[in-house]
Amino acid sequence: MTTENASPAEGCIVANTLSALRIQLRLSDGEPHALRAALASAARIVTEIQIGRGTPAHLDKLSMLTPELASAMPAVAEMLTAALNEQRAEWLRHVTDYVCSAGLCTEARPVPCQAACPANIDIPSILAHIAHGQYNDALSVLLLDTPLPNSCGFVCPAPCEDACVQKNVSSAVVIKPMKSVAARCGGGYTLPDCDPPTGKKVAIVGSGPAGLTAAYYLVQKGHHVEIFDERSEPGGIMRYGIPNYRLPAEVLQAEVDRITALGVTIHTNTPIAKVTDLNERGFDASFLATGLQNSRRLGIPGDDQRFVLGGMDFLRNVRNGKNPRVGPHVIVIGGGNVAIDVAMTAFRQGATKVEIWYRRTRADMPASEHEITMALDEGVQLIEQWTPTRVLPGNLIEFSRTKTAADAATAQPVTVHADQIIAGIGQDADLSYLGNSAIELRWGNIVTDPITLMTAEPGIFSGGDIAHGGSTVVAAIGSAKRAAESIHAYLTGSEMDHAALRPQRRDRVPVVTVGAKARTAPQRPHVPEMAPVIRINSHAPIQYDFCEEVARVEAGRCLRCDLCIGCGLCELACIEVGTEALRMIATKDGRMVFDGFMRPAELCIGCGACAAVCPSGAITVETIGKERLTAITGTVVRRQPLLSCAVCDEPFVTATQYEAMCARLGTDPGVAPVCPSCLRQKASGAAFHVGH
C-alpha cells in the first residue's frame, strides 16, 4: 500500500508517529476490517501515550502489532519499528516521566477559542451558560477575565471565531456578540469582592482599555489605584478613536462607572508632565498605558498641506463634538481598522465619494474582514496596489503602482484630485512625559520586560499599544491583566502567579441537549445591523441587539472543546470494533473534530467502546429503561431499543450490536440473545432455563 510523508523529521517522535498512522488510516478506508483494526489499535496506543496515559506496557503492545501490520503494510510496520527502536529513550520519557522533549504531548492543550483570545476568556463556559439561558452566569464568567465585556461585544475582531473548530466542519460559532448578550441580559453587573487594603498606591497613566483593566484587577487585590488622563472623558481609544456607531458611548461609560464603583479614582483633564514625578507624589508603582493617540503622517513630500489630515485627529475631533466637515471627495490612505473607521466616518461628515487607496490587496489588509465588508457595503471604494508618492498643491496626490502588482512594469503614475486626503496608516505616541527617565524606547514603543512588563525604571510598568504597538482592545486587556499580576507581585514582594495568566476553565457547565442536525449546521445567524443606505447619514450604532433566543440556539452549536479534548480515541476504538460509526478530521493544530453527527445516527450500535476509551467523559453510552442512548457532548446521536435476555428477560443489547456480535462469532442471529450474567451462570453449572 502507498505511504505518505506524514510529518517533518523535527518535532516529537510520538506525535510524528501518530500523524503517520492516521494518514495510513485515511488511505486504508474501505480496506478489510482486520487491517484497519490493526492500524487503529496502533494509533489508539500512540494516542494514549501522547495524552499522558501511556505505560511501558503500551510500548510492548505496539511492538506486538508490527508483525500483524507487516504482511499487508510492510512500510508502516518498518516505520513503526524504526520509531520505537531509534528513539526509545523519548518513548520511555513519555510513558514513565510523562514528559515530551518537544513540549507537544502529555499536557492538556487549551481550548482553541480560549487560547486565541488575548484575554483568555473562557468562551465554552460562556456559550454553555447562554445556551441554557443562564445569562447572569455567563456574565459572571466573563467578568473574571475582562472588565469590558459589552465593549468587547461591539469592537472585538473575534480571533476566537477564527480558531473555532466548527470552521473545520461547518461554520464558526458566532461568539463576538455573545458578550453583549450576557451583559445586556445578565441582570446587571455585580461588583467583585476586594481584598483588604494593602496600603500600596498605584498610579495609572491613561484610561484606555489597558489602564482601565489594570485598575480593575489591582483594586481587587487591595491596592489604592488612581488613573490620570489628559482628556476630558475616560476611555482612551475606545472613546476617542473608535466611532460611536461601532461602540456607543453609553456602553463604554456603563463599564467605566463599574470600575470607579470599585474604588478606582479617575482624574480627567490631568496630564502627567513627568512620569518620575509620580514617585514623589507617594505612588509605590506606576503603569503607563497612554496608547498611540497621535496620527502618523504619510511621510511623503507635501504631506504637511492643509487638506491632508491625520486619521486619529479626524476621528478624535468627531468624537469631541467638533463636527469637522469633509468632502465631497475624500481619499483615505491605509488598510487597517483606523483607515476603515476614517472612511466610514467621512460619509457621516459630509463626503459623497470615499476611496481607500491601499498599497497591497484586500486579502492583505490588516483590518477585520467584517469591518471591510461594512465599509464596502456603505459605498467606500477600495483601490488596490497603489502607493502615494507625493502630495501636490491644488488638492492633488500622486500614486505609483505597487511593485507587486501584475502590471507594475508598465503602469504609469496617476494624479488624483480630492477635497481631503486622510492618513490612516498608523499611530504614534506622545512620549514627552517620559522626560529624562531611564525608560528605553524601540520603534516608538516603550521597552518592557516580556514577562513582568516592567520598564528600565524600577516600579514603572507599561502595557497595551504604547508597549506592544497598535493592536486591539482585547489585546490591551490581556496585556493589562499580566501587568496587574506583575505589579501586585512587585508591591507585595511575592512571585508572579503565572498559572493565573494562562487560560483557565472558569466554570463547569452541564451539556446542552442539541439535535444532531443542528449541532453542525452549516449556516450561522447574522447579527442584525442597520441598513447601509440609512446608517451612512448617522452616528447611531450600526449593530442591533443580538436576539437572546437566537443566541441560545447558536450557543448550542458550540462543540464544547472544554469537554471533548479532541484526542480521537473514540474514533479509533470504533474502527477497532468494526462499526466505523465515528469519523473525525484533524484541524491544523492536530486536534480531532467530529465530521458531523449524522453518521453515528445511522451506524452506531451502542456497544460503548467509544465511551470506554474517552478520557474526559465527553461521550456517554447509557441504558435508560429499555433504550440505549449514545451521546456526544450533549447531542444524542442514536437512541436504540434493547433486546431482552432470553433467560432473565432483562434488556441488555441493541439489535445492531447483537447482529455485529453474531457476525463476528459466526453464530446465528436468529437465536434469542442471552445476557453475559446468565451465560456465566450456565458456565458455572448453575440452574439455567431459557425462558422464551
Side-chain angles (χ1 to χ4, degrees), residues 43 64 139 191 288-289 353 372 397 446 457 471 493 608 656:
M64 293 170 62
L139 180 58
L191 295 180
L288 310 182
K353 180 180 181 181
I372 296 171
I397 182 169
I446 293 175
E457 283 278 3
S471 189
T656 52

Coordinates of all heavy atoms in Angstrom, one line a residue, residues 43 64 139 191 288-289 353 372 397 446 457 471 493 608 656:
A43 N -2.7 3.3 16.4 CA -2.9 4.7 16.6 C -3.5 5.0 18.0 O -3.2 6.0 18.6 CB -3.9 5.2 15.5
M64 N 4.2 -5.7 19.5 CA 3.4 -6.9 19.2 C 2.5 -6.7 17.9 O 2.2 -7.7 17.2 CB 2.6 -7.4 20.3 CG 3.4 -7.8 21.5 SD 2.4 -8.1 23.0 CE 1.3 -9.4 22.4
L139 N -22.3 36.2 32.3 CA -21.7 37.5 32.6 C -20.7 37.3 33.7 O -19.6 37.9 33.7 CB -22.7 38.5 33.0 CG -22.2 39.9 33.3 CD1 -21.4 40.5 32.1 CD2 -23.4 40.8 33.7
L191 N -20.5 43.7 41.6 CA -19.1 44.1 41.9 C -18.4 43.0 42.6 O -18.9 42.4 43.5 CB -19.1 45.4 42.8 CG -19.7 46.6 42.2 CD1 -19.6 47.8 43.3 CD2 -19.0 47.1 41.0
L288 N 2.1 52.6 32.8 CA 2.0 53.6 31.6 C 1.1 52.9 30.6 O 1.5 51.9 30.0 CB 3.3 54.0 31.1 CG 4.3 54.4 32.2 CD1 5.7 54.8 31.5 CD2 3.8 55.6 33.0
A289 N 0.0 53.4 30.3 CA -0.9 52.9 29.3 C -1.6 54.0 28.5 O -2.8 54.1 28.3 CB -2.0 52.1 30.0
K353 N -18.2 60.8 -1.9 CA -17.4 59.8 -2.6 C -16.1 59.6 -1.7 O -15.4 60.5 -1.4 CB -16.9 60.3 -3.9 CG -16.0 59.3 -4.7 CD -15.6 59.9 -6.0 CE -14.7 58.9 -6.8 NZ -14.3 59.4 -8.1
I372 N -14.2 45.6 6.8 CA -14.0 45.9 5.4 C -15.3 45.8 4.6 O -15.7 46.6 3.8 CB -12.9 45.0 4.8 CG1 -11.6 45.2 5.4 CG2 -12.9 45.2 3.3 CD1 -10.5 44.2 5.0
I397 N -2.9 64.4 -5.3 CA -2.0 63.4 -4.7 C -1.6 62.5 -5.8 O -2.4 62.1 -6.7 CB -2.6 62.7 -3.6 CG1 -1.6 61.6 -3.0 CG2 -3.9 62.0 -4.0 CD1 -2.1 61.0 -1.7
I446 N 7.5 51.8 24.2 CA 8.2 51.7 25.5 C 8.7 50.2 25.6 O 8.0 49.3 25.4 CB 7.3 52.0 26.7 CG1 7.0 53.5 26.6 CG2 8.0 51.6 28.0 CD1 6.0 54.0 27.7
E457 N 12.9 51.6 34.4 CA 12.8 52.3 35.7 C 12.1 51.4 36.7 O 11.0 51.0 36.5 CB 11.9 53.6 35.5 CG 12.6 54.7 34.9 CD 13.4 55.6 35.9 OE1 13.5 55.2 37.1 OE2 14.0 56.6 35.5
S471 N -2.7 47.6 18.3 CA -3.4 46.3 18.3 C -4.9 46.5 18.6 O -5.5 47.5 18.1 CB -2.8 45.4 19.3 OG -3.2 44.1 19.1
G493 N 6.2 41.8 47.1 CA 7.4 41.0 47.3 C 7.2 39.5 47.1 O 7.9 38.7 47.6
G608 N -20.6 0.9 23.3 CA -20.0 1.6 24.4 C -18.4 1.7 24.3 O -17.8 2.2 25.3
T656 N -28.6 -4.0 16.7 CA -27.4 -3.8 15.8 C -26.2 -4.4 16.4 O -25.3 -5.0 15.7 CB -27.2 -2.3 15.5 OG1 -27.2 -1.6 16.8 CG2 -28.3 -1.8 14.6

